[in-house]
Amino acid sequence: MDSFLDHVMRVVAYPVDPNNRIFALYLLSSLVIVFAIYLVKRRKSDEADGESSFVGCLFPKRVWSHPSAWLDVRYFFFHQFIGHFLMLGLFAGPAALACSWTIGEVSVHDPSAAQPLVRWKGTVVAFVYNVGIGMGSGAVAGLFFNMMGYAPSLPSLLGVPILMFLFNVVGYNLRHSHVWLRWPGVWSKVFPSPAHHHVHHSCHPNHLDKNFAFMFPLWDVLFGTYIMPEDNKDVKFGVTEKDRGNELDTCVNLYVNPFKDAWRLYRPKRQSTAETHAEEEINHHPAE
């Protein structure tokens, strides 16, 4: 119970944590960017996206009246308070138990004895997204160490690596919003923009399996997955027509339905395999 309460307190503290994307300063910078976009659009037309006020631009009815918007809100709180905590427990608990079965009792106060336990836990926790990023950072630091004989410290601001800080300040939170922001010209291939990620979530046929890069779109350019339309008229958030039968209308369904779909895909293969074996048996042992 204490661990869960500690987790809840960490989530509540997100707005005052510079390492979190909804840190107050990042939200404020996003607000300033949206206001600038709103002013530009007002100069070009009498209204901005059909909304006559800045508040209307922030919370357009076409977005906030849609059921999926409120599902996103519910999912955020459900996942952060419950789902994320359970996932961590699902990994950490069995890992610790399996390690104790495998290597016996270990004193965590003895660094040499704790190494096997740490390695096994590290292997399991490596599936967590943030740890994967940390491993990449460690690999880069190790490369510098091998080249120069020391690992340079990363320049930071408010305790956050400077590039990650700038990434959050220049509109990271707009990546999952309705606000379209595209860097001009070739810069959109170099630096991340909300528009780059909007296309990744678009169900338009031309946008499927595109724009995977988290921070630098150059990776998409290198691997042929980059696309950047001039405007967002074809950017439609959601799933493709063939997937609309899924009932992704509750937080529980968001977790459960992908497993159900996977089972449906797996089950026919099992049946067809069994039928194939039955036919082979008949061919090898024809009836008299």
Side-chain angles (χ1 to χ4, degrees), residues 256-273:
V256 174
N257 277 11
F259 292 98
K260 290 183 178 179
D261 293 340
W263 172 249
R264 293 190 188 101
L265 291 175
Y266 173 71
R267 190 175 181 181
K269 291 182 180 179
R270 290 188 60 191
Q271 291 177 339
S272 60
T273 302

Side-chain angles (χ1 to χ4, degrees), residues 10 37 85 90 125 135 149 156 160 162 193 200 204 214 216 222 224 231 235 247-248 250 272 287:
R10 284 194 295 271
I37 294 174
F85 179 80
L90 182 65
V125 177
M135 291 177 66
S156 61
V160 181
I162 189 67
S193 68
H200 173 72
H204 189 279
F214 170 69
F216 294 115
L222 291 175
D231 53 49
V235 175
E247 295 181 356
L248 300 177
T250 67
S272 60

Side-chain angles (χ1 to χ4, degrees), residues 42-93:
R42 282 201 64 177
R43 292 193 186 100
K44 293 181 178 180
S45 62
D46 293 334
E47 294 184 350
D49 273 353
E51 303 290 344
S52 59
S53 68
F54 177 55
V55 174
C57 181
L58 282 177
F59 305 103
K61 292 181 179 179
R62 60 183 172 81
V63 173
W64 289 97
S65 63
H66 199 284
S68 66
W70 294 106
L71 176 59
D72 287 341
V73 173
R74 298 198 306 273
Y75 172 75
F76 172 82
F77 288 102
F78 180 86
H79 181 70
Q80 293 298 329
F81 287 126
I82 300 176
H84 188 64
F85 179 80
L86 292 178
M87 288 173 63
L88 290 177
L90 182 65
F91 280 115

